[in-house]
Amino acid sequence: MDLEAIAQEIEEDAEELIGIAGAKSGQVLVVGCSTSEVLGNKIGTGGSMKLAKVLYTTLRKVCRKHKLILAAQCCEHLNRAIVVDQKAMEKFGWQQVTVRPIEHAGGAFAATAYNELKNPVVVEEIKADLGIDIGQTLIGMYLKRVAVPVRLSRKTLGNAVLTAARTRPPLIGGERAVYK
């Protein structure tokens, strides 16, 4: 797999999502990533720390550019907990849990996030403003209540299905509201 090409693609995908979503400084981008799926394997069966580092480093660069908070979703073996920087946990009042993701329990992407962050913590749940799901890892549970699908130009990353979403405040009332 051409890691440089994958890095370029995920950077373009993230930039496209951020532009469509109109993301603002301080918002949270949640990423769920199956490196197994990117490589053409069944989720959880053939991940790659090398690929995870390329993806994480690229997404971290994009988030820093836009002053977004990057949150990395763990796999189902850690109940899809989220790796974030301690400052983000404190800012949003998220509940910390005690676990350290590794390649085969948490996933390569989450393990890389944990290893790369200066002050990593794992939290039980978050409410993110936008998200990228690489390989159908089911990030929806960590998006704010009204998630809106974003149709990106690219539908896959490597062999993984690529799904993206933004959120919006709930529409209460308005022209379509019915009260009787």
Side-chain angles (χ1 to χ4, degrees), residues 4 82 90 130-131 148 163 166 169:
E4 287 182 29
I82 304 285
E90 292 168 354
L130 61 161
V148 179
T163 306
R166 65 177 178 84

Side-chain angles (χ1 to χ4, degrees), residues 2-3 10 16 20 32 34 101 106-107 112 171:
D2 182 349
L3 295 179
I10 195 62
E16 183 179 9
I20 290 169
S34 169
T112 299
L171 300 175

Side-chain angles (χ1 to χ4, degrees), residues 1-4 6 9 33-55 103-104 108-109 134-136 156-161:
M1 177 146 299
D2 182 349
L3 295 179
E4 287 182 29
I6 290 289
E9 288 180 16
C33 177
S34 169
T35 58
S36 296
E37 290 280 335
V38 175
L39 293 170
N41 302 310
K42 181 180 170 194
I43 193 168
T45 63
S48 164
M49 293 298 287
K50 188 174 181 180
L51 174 58
K53 184 159 184 168
V54 167
L55 292 168
E103 183 177 5
H104 300 292
F109 186 78
I134 304 165
Q136 300 178 315
T156 59
L157 183 69
N159 294 293
V161 173

Side-chain angles (χ1 to χ4, degrees), residues 54-87:
V54 167
L55 292 168
Y56 180 79
T57 302
T58 303
L59 287 165
R60 181 181 62 200
K61 178 181 79 170
V62 172
C63 285
R64 283 182 177 160
K65 173 183 171 186
H66 294 279
K67 298 180 179 157
L68 299 175
I69 297 164
L70 179 57
Q73 179 183 270
C74 295
C75 76
E76 66 179 291
H77 295 102
L78 297 187
N79 298 325
R80 302 216 189 284
I82 304 285
V83 178
V84 293
D85 185 86
Q86 184 175 349
K87 287 181 184 176

